[in-house]
Amino acid sequence: MTDHLDVLVDPAPLDLHAFIASLPKAELHVHHVGSASPRIVAELAARHPDTKVPTDPEALVDFFTFTDFARFIDVYLSVVDLIRTPEDVRLLTYEVARDLARQQVRYAELTITPFSSTRRGIDERAFMDAIEDARKAAEAEFGTVLRWCFDIPGEAGLESAEETVRLATDERLRPEGLVSFGLGGPEIGVPRPQFKPYFDRAIAAGLRSVPHAGETTGPQTVWDALTHLRAERIGHGTSSAQDDRLLAHLAEHRIALEVCPTSNIATRAVRTLDEHPIKEFVKAGVLVTVNSDDPPMFGTDLNNEYAVAARLLELDERGVAELAKNAVDASFLDEAGKSRIRDEIDTYTAAWLAP
Ligand SMILES: O=C(O)c1cccc(C(=O)CC[C@H]2O[C@@H](n3cnc4c(=O)[nH]cnc43)[C@H](O)[C@@H]2O)c1
Ligand SMILES: [Zn+2]
């Protein structure tokens, strides 16, 4: 996968890359299955050799090249098919945490689609135990704190919404690390308002609302996510740039956008990086966070996304550190946890810039 990353690596100055690589960071928009690295895919494929997912890194690069969003979902589901046992779930979660820790990610909210696993026959109790076991091990061994966002795969219909909200709110099942409730998959033909009753139940149970919206459809989808799903952050929100009133609303209410630049290019949601609206978001005063979405599938990682953002926003080290603090501010971490990571970012930046 390194080859793929080499192609996409952003031409930010080398010392800025080095600064970013060791900068303590928070990741707010990254998918569980979408984080399966070639190494993890190869290990899962060795367990389940009947897969159509190639294990050779060269072939994986081709397999992970998408013509559009629909093709991306097809490929995504073929990786989902590789996760068949609670031990697969544990391996994936633990190894994803290791990859995050290597990038100095101190805190990550990982989007998990439990419906995709339970409908494929993984026992729901065993699934929850597997993610929780991996979360605790990762925190103890790598120091990376993981939290979960359970998302509805919208295209799978209201049956998937019912199952997801049940798994998220049943006191006997709900995992300790669960903090939020999301909605993913394609947006076209999947109107957000129909999910209102499920989000109402999740919010009533104390979960925060973070649907994807405005990734592949226009700004009305973002309005729908705000109005009907009471979104506190928006996954992507790319098309918000087409509506000044929406930008002003996001800025005024401090509703952060989870921006994933390379993902938007890979799924053809945006034509080129230079056309990405991230600069317009910042100009409008919107709280922008930078994230990786499905990093190995898009040949990127969080550090590369920061380098991309630094170039598009013309940021130096201090600017990049502010961006990293945006993610901490917009996270669902408690105040003490936020303050610990903010202090770490400040200390690191001051030491880096000291003469
Ligand atoms: O699991 C199934 O059986 C199933 C059946 C029908 C549809 C689906 C999905 O739509 C799964 C979508 C899957 O995609 C994840 N994801 C990852 N990255 C993104 C993104 O950038 N935008 C939207 N969705 C994304 C999402 O978490 C779902 O798990 C599944
Ligand atoms: Zn996403």
Side-chain angles (χ1 to χ4, degrees), residues 9-302:
V9 135
D10 208 71
L14 278 181
D15 52 349
L16 193 56
H17 271 292
F19 173 79
I20 290 168
S22 302
L23 175 69
K25 290 174 285 285
E27 163 86 279
L28 304 182
H29 188 127
V30 61
H31 294 260
H32 187 219
V33 173
S35 299
S37 65
R39 187 173 51 81
I40 304 172
V41 168
E43 194 162 341
L44 290 170
R47 293 179 180 188
H48 312 296
D50 58 334
T51 180
K52 61 180 177 180
V53 179
T55 53
D56 164 44
E58 297 279 314
L60 253 187
V61 171
D62 285 345
F63 190 68
F64 285 166
T65 302
F66 312 107
T67 41
D68 56 23
F69 192 84
R71 171 70 189 146
F72 162 68
I73 293 293
D74 282 350
V75 170
Y76 193 92
L77 290 179
S78 63
V79 182
V80 169
D81 283 336
L82 270 177
I83 298 150
R84 302 185 190 167
T85 68
E87 183 41 40
D88 295 341
V89 174
R90 191 199 179 278
L91 169 84
L92 171 66
T93 315
Y94 179 79
E95 293 301 326
V96 166
R98 188 203 300 277
D99 289 342
L100 289 165
R102 279 199 194 109
Q103 296 183 77
Q104 308 306 324
V105 173
R106 301 288 191 264
Y107 172 82
E109 291 172 17
L110 196 58
T111 297
I112 298 188
T113 314
F115 172 79
S116 289
S117 289
T118 57
R119 82 170 290 196
R120 283 169 177 75
I122 298 184
D123 175 75
E124 58 199 32
R125 175 76 270 151
F127 180 87
M128 302 302 174
D129 289 346
I131 58 173
E132 282 294 295
D133 186 50
R135 178 178 72 78
K136 289 174 187 157
E139 188 168 337
E141 290 170 42
F142 313 133
T144 298
V145 172
L146 292 182
R147 293 289 180 263
W148 318 125
C149 169
F150 278 5
D151 78 332
I152 302 169
E155 198 187 35
L158 297 184
E159 174 210 346
S160 77
E162 178 58 43
E163 172 77 343
T164 308
V165 78
R166 182 183 70 79
L167 294 168
T169 59
D170 182 331
E171 285 301 327
R172 289 158 304 178
L173 287 171
R174 176 181 171 157
E176 211 182 308
L178 184 66
V179 291
S180 60
F181 197 71
L183 171 59
E187 289 173 39
I188 296 168
V190 187
R192 310 285 99 171
Q194 65 184 314
F195 298 102
K196 175 177 167 34
Y198 307 95
F199 274 75
D200 283 346
R201 282 161 61 190
I203 292 166
L207 297 176
R208 319 292 290 266
S209 168
V210 280
H212 284 63
E215 179 185 17
T216 49
T217 59
Q220 183 55 47
T221 310
V222 180
W223 281 117
D224 287 346
L226 295 170
T227 310
H228 298 282
L229 310 183
R230 292 185 274 160
E232 293 182 63
R233 293 197 315 249
I234 299 283
H236 298 281
T238 318
S239 63
S240 307
Q242 297 163 23
D243 181 339
D244 288 343
R245 200 169 62 82
L246 176 56
L247 288 178
H249 181 92
L250 295 171
E252 183 188 344
H253 296 277
R254 282 193 56 90
I255 301 195
L257 294 184
E258 300 163 355
V259 176
C260 313
T262 300
S263 158
N264 296 150
I265 306 308
T267 62
R268 316 283 165 111
V270 175
R271 233 165 45 89
T272 65
L273 276 179
D274 289 322
E275 289 168 80
H276 197 284
I278 187 169
K279 204 165 182 168
E280 288 155 72
F281 297 153
V282 172
K283 224 155 118 193
V286 176
L287 186 63
V288 165
T289 68
V290 170
N291 304 278
S292 64
D293 210 7
D294 303 286
M297 293 190 178
F298 300 143
T300 191
D301 60 20
L302 187 61

Side-chain angles (χ1 to χ4, degrees), residues 2-17:
T2 317
D3 289 352
H4 201 180
L5 185 59
D6 284 350
V7 174
L8 285 168
V9 135
D10 208 71
L14 278 181
D15 52 349
L16 193 56
H17 271 292

